[in-house]
């Protein structure tokens, strides 16, 4: 006879069954979360980038333009640029380089601007062009040529154009080589050096992350109104080291004669590489010679080796640009610039000054030079007043009048009765002949009596 199951056994079975359902639900929930997380990760890391790459070029360009517009730059239409440059005519061409051509453009609203039209192969991608625009939009300094806007046409082969402020007085190279037909005074050279150093220092220390120019040379230092220097051409710029980094690794790019040997041998790029290039420019401002002289018997004779001996001996006049001798020149300022240039090209990069130290030392030296000239001018003015007073003097001895005369010797005036200076050949005497005539007549009357 079958026995009926007890209530206790029935409750125990129900409890075990409920536990199984609970654990099953937990496991299913965990698996679901893992599956969703895996799908999300796959979508974010794999599918989404692929979808973005497959977007149409027009959508990509619009997204890029929106980001660039945040920099407050103007987007020029290609038709505007063509009209402003007369279809990129030779008449408007300002200069050419490895990166592209620069044209002078006249716009209806913006006025005169400089149009940089890179060669087709200058940018490997549209994004590379946009990165340069974003980078240059951060550069704001009175001694750096400012980026006004850009022109970006659709497609990989579309026009990529940069629009800069126009600097009217050409480049420093034109003044050093004499192509401008004008020479720079020692003050103008000092002020150009100070301004350019301030601009480069801003790239190194005024922007985070820092920017290394990589192509500092006279043709990239423009001369603005009031002969104010403006550093230009940022086609080779590269972000500098950040955090604990001592350098960034980079392919060698730049101009022979201005390239840092330490950078060339190690591929380690630092802000001191720009300092080396600027040191060469300082030497050129003093001497007006090319960085590398190729006409000498000794080929590739660098300005550093040519100028070093004279500067170390303090004989800056031996290497000075002859055009500086046509008017008074402050030799102390020129010597300071030359010796500072030698420090900038020190073999070990860390032994070079920073660009901030460079402009501060130059500015202090110019201040001292101006102060010395002011004192000398004040002394010369006082001496001139004394001279005019002495010229009007009249000497009377025993009733006989004598007119004082002065002696001029090599542009110096002497008011003295001592006549040993008459031994010099370059002597002129101014004598009041009417006074001598009167004295002669009185003497004749006395003899007649």
């Amino acid at each position: 006879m079958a026995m009926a199951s007890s209530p206790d056994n029935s409750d125990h079975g129900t409890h075990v069954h409920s536990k199984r359902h609970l654990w099953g639900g937990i496991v299913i929930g965990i698996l679901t979360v893992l599956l969703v997380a895996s799908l999300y990760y796959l979508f974010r890391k794999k599918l989404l980038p692929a979808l973005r790459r497959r977007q149409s070029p027009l959508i990509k360009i619009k997204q890029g333009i929106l980001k660039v517009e945040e920099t407050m730059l103007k987007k020029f239409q290609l038709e505007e640029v063509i009209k402003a440059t007369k279809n990129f005519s030779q008449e408007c061409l300002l200069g050419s380089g490895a990166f592209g051509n620069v044209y002078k453009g006249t716009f209806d609203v913006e006025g005169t601007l400089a149009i940089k039209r890179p060669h087709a192969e200058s940018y490997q991608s549209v994004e590379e062009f946009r990165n340069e625009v974003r980078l240059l939009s951060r550069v704001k300094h009175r001694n750096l040529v400012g980026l006004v806007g850009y022109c970006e046409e659709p497609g990989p082969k579309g026009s990529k154009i940069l629009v800069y402020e126009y600097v009217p007085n050409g480049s420093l190279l034109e003044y050093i080589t004499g192509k401008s037909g004008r020479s720079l005074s020692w003050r103008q050279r000092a002020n150009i050096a100070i301004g350019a150093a301030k601009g480069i220092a801003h790239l190194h220390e005024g922007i985070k992350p820092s920017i290394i120019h990589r192509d500092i040379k006279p043709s990239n230092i423009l001369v603005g109104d009031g002969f104010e220097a403006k550093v230009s051409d940022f086609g080779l710029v590269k972000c500098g080291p950040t955090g604990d980094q001592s350098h960034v690794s980079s392919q060698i790019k730049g101009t022979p004669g201005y390239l840092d040997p330490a950078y060339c041998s190690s591929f380690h790029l630092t802000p001191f590489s720009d300092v080396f290039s600027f040191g060469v420019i300082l030497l050129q401002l003093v001497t007006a010679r090319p960085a590398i002289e190729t006409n000498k018997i000794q080929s590739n004779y660098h300005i550093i080796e040519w100028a070093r001996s004279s500067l170390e001996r303090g004989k800056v006049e031996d290497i000075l640009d002859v055009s500086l001798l046509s008017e008074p020149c402050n030799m102390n300022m020129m010597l300071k610039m030359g010796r500072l240039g030698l420090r900038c090209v020190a073999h070990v990069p860390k032994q070079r000054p920073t660009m901030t130290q460079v402009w501060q030392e130059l500015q202090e030296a110019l201040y001292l030079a101006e102060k010395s000239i002011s004192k000398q001018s004040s002394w010369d003015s006082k001496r001139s007043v004394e001279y005019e007073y002495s010229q009007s003097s009249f000497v009377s001895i025993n009733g006989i009048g004598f007119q004082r005369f002065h002696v001029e010797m090599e542009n110096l005036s002497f008011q003295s009765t001592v006549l040993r200076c008459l031994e010099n050949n370059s002597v002129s005497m101014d004598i009041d002949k009417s006074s001598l005539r009167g004295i002669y007549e009185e003497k004749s009357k006395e003899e007649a009596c």
Side-chain angles (χ1 to χ4, degrees), residues 27-316:
V27 170
I28 291 173
I30 292 172
L31 292 174
T32 302
V33 170
L34 290 174
L35 180 62
V36 171
S38 299
L39 291 173
Y40 178 76
Y41 176 81
L42 181 65
F43 178 76
R44 284 293 301 271
K45 298 296 182 181
K46 303 293 183 181
L47 297 178
L48 190 59
L51 289 173
R52 285 177 176 171
R53 285 193 294 269
R54 291 180 182 179
Q55 285 179 330
S56 68
L58 183 61
I59 294 176
K60 284 189 69 178
I61 287 170
K62 285 183 178 179
Q63 288 178 345
I65 288 173
L66 287 173
K67 292 179 181 179
V68 172
E69 282 178 348
E70 294 174 1
T71 63
M72 304 301 291
L73 297 174
K74 176 178 172 60
K75 181 182 184 298
F76 290 87
Q77 298 300 320
L78 182 59
E79 293 76 15
E80 291 181 88
V81 178
I82 291 174
K83 178 183 176 183
T85 59
K86 300 179 182 179
N87 197 19
F88 302 104
S89 68
Q90 286 292 119
E91 175 189 347
C92 297
L93 184 65
L94 294 175
S96 301
F99 191 82
N101 297 333
V102 180
Y103 298 86
K104 180 179 178 180
T106 305
F107 295 83
D108 295 334
V109 177
E110 293 80 10
T112 304
L113 297 173
I115 314 300
K116 184 177 179 181
R117 188 188 193 190
H119 298 312
E121 66 276 7
S122 297
Y123 295 108
Q124 296 180 357
S125 65
V126 174
E127 193 59 33
E128 185 179 359
F129 170 77
R130 293 188 191 139
N131 287 337
E132 182 174 344
V133 172
R134 294 186 190 105
L135 184 66
L136 296 180
S137 68
R138 298 161 47 207
V139 176
K140 306 291 183 184
H141 193 274
R142 64 181 296 170
N143 295 114
L144 299 171
V145 174
L147 183 66
V148 177
Y150 66 99
C151 174
E152 180 185 353
E153 291 295 299
K157 295 185 179 180
S159 295
K160 309 290 184 291
I161 296 171
L162 298 172
V163 183
Y164 290 93
E165 67 171 304
Y166 175 70
V167 184
N169 294 324
S171 72
L172 179 58
L173 180 64
E174 296 170 19
Y175 290 89
I176 290 177
T177 59
K179 289 182 179 179
S180 67
R182 296 177 59 185
S183 61
L184 297 170
S185 69
W186 69 269
R187 279 189 185 87
Q188 288 170 337
R189 296 175 197 231
N191 281 316
I192 287 173
I194 292 169
K198 285 182 177 180
I200 302 168
H202 181 73
L203 293 177
H204 292 176
E205 301 173 27
I207 301 174
K208 298 298 180 184
S210 64
I211 295 176
I212 303 174
H213 190 283
R214 287 206 294 177
D215 201 20
I216 299 295
K217 57 184 179 180
S219 60
N220 287 340
I221 296 179
L222 305 184
V223 182
D225 294 326
F227 286 87
E228 183 176 53
K230 287 183 176 287
V231 179
S232 68
D233 198 343
F234 304 95
L236 297 182
V237 295
K238 189 172 181 66
C239 289
T242 58
D244 296 333
Q245 290 180 326
S246 61
H247 64 272
V248 291
S249 297
S250 168
Q251 291 183 341
I252 299 171
K253 291 187 178 181
T255 302
Y258 303 89
L259 275 168
D260 175 15
Y263 167 42
C264 294
S265 61
S266 66
F267 295 87
H268 292 174
L269 182 66
T270 71
F272 289 115
S273 299
D274 283 347
V275 176
F276 179 93
S277 304
F278 189 77
V280 177
I281 291 178
L282 285 178
L283 296 177
Q284 290 185 280
L285 282 168
V286 173
T287 65
R289 290 174 63 91
I292 299 177
E293 181 62 75
T294 57
N295 296 327
K296 297 291 183 182
I297 298 175
Q298 182 180 358
S299 61
N300 297 334
Y301 194 48
H302 201 284
I303 189 174
I304 297 172
E305 304 311 320
W306 177 80
R308 185 184 299 278
S309 176
S310 296
L311 290 171
E312 288 177 346
R313 290 184 289 110
K315 297 289 186 179
V316 69

